[in-house]
Amino acid sequence: MPLGTWLKAGTSAAALVLGMANAATAAPAPSPASEQSTALAAAVTLRYDDSRAGGWEAAIAAGVATWNANVSNVKLVEAAPGATAEIVIVATTGWPQATLGPVRPGRQVRVELGSQAVSQGYDKTRIAAHELGHSLGLPDTKPGPCSQLMSGSSAGTACTNAVPNATERSRVQSAYASGVAALAPIDGRTLIDAP
């Protein structure tokens, strides 16, 4: 083989090796912080509007905080005034009720926080967290113990637990895994939480 051909082949091979080495070192391995931010970025964000839920603000804030602290695949945020929200929350005089989700971004469900349950002794924060659970796709688990948030009124008026248990958290995590909720249909049934 002539010397010129050897030099061309050698130069091309060296360029290929250098190019591969640069590509391998150009993108450093992701740090735990960047992996965490990627996971947070993958969470489905749902906006809620509680502008017509006078008297329930503290209970709604506590219910939202509970869900946000216990699941990572979906985050509930308050909608800006005048913005469209996926979860519309209103105060009513009847029994609490909600549309069964999981709600998808751009779609809408309704939560009614009924004062009739409060007048009978049920805890406002548990009611709010329970009804938000319906919006996230959880049906009632009646009858059930106080340790199940979705047991609702069947746990009795002494129950103030507003935290979803491991099974409930897992179901919501699955419903919103990798944005799956964006493809899943809303059940659409209205669940009324009267005893």
Side-chain angles (χ1 to χ4, degrees):
M1 183 180 294
L3 179 60
T5 305
W6 277 103
L7 288 175
K8 283 184 187 178
T11 304
S12 296
L16 179 62
V17 169
L18 285 174
M20 291 176 68
N22 285 340
T25 59
S31 67
S34 68
E35 288 175 359
Q36 183 179 14
S37 64
T38 301
L40 291 175
V44 174
T45 299
L46 298 175
R47 295 160 298 179
Y48 67 90
D49 174 6
D50 64 354
S51 62
R52 295 185 296 158
W56 287 84
E57 295 86 354
I60 293 166
V64 164
T66 293
W67 280 109
N68 285 342
N70 282 282
V71 295
S72 60
N73 287 344
V74 62
K75 289 295 169 202
L76 304 175
V77 297
E78 189 168 4
T84 302
E86 284 83 13
I87 303 171
V88 175
I89 306 171
V90 297
T92 68
T93 57
W95 278 96
Q97 56 186 292
T99 310
L100 181 59
V103 66
R104 303 175 284 180
R107 297 289 304 271
Q108 195 170 75
V109 295
R110 181 178 170 97
V111 168
E112 296 184 10
L113 299 175
S115 62
Q116 189 171 355
V118 177
S119 68
Q120 292 198 13
Y122 292 97
D123 181 72
K124 276 184 146 181
T125 300
R126 178 173 167 85
I127 293 168
H130 175 91
E131 299 307 326
L132 288 169
H134 287 321
S135 297
L136 299 175
L138 297 178
D140 286 315
T141 55
K142 294 180 181 181
C146 183
S147 60
Q148 292 177 346
L149 175 61
M150 301 315 293
S151 66
S153 60
S154 72
T157 56
C159 179
T160 60
N161 172 44
V163 178
N165 67 20
T167 301
E168 294 163 333
R169 291 190 303 267
S170 176
R171 288 186 69 186
V172 170
Q173 286 288 93
S174 293
Y176 290 92
S178 303
V180 169
L183 304 173
I186 294 175
D187 182 291
R189 288 181 290 158
T190 298
L191 302 178
I192 301 172
D193 290 304

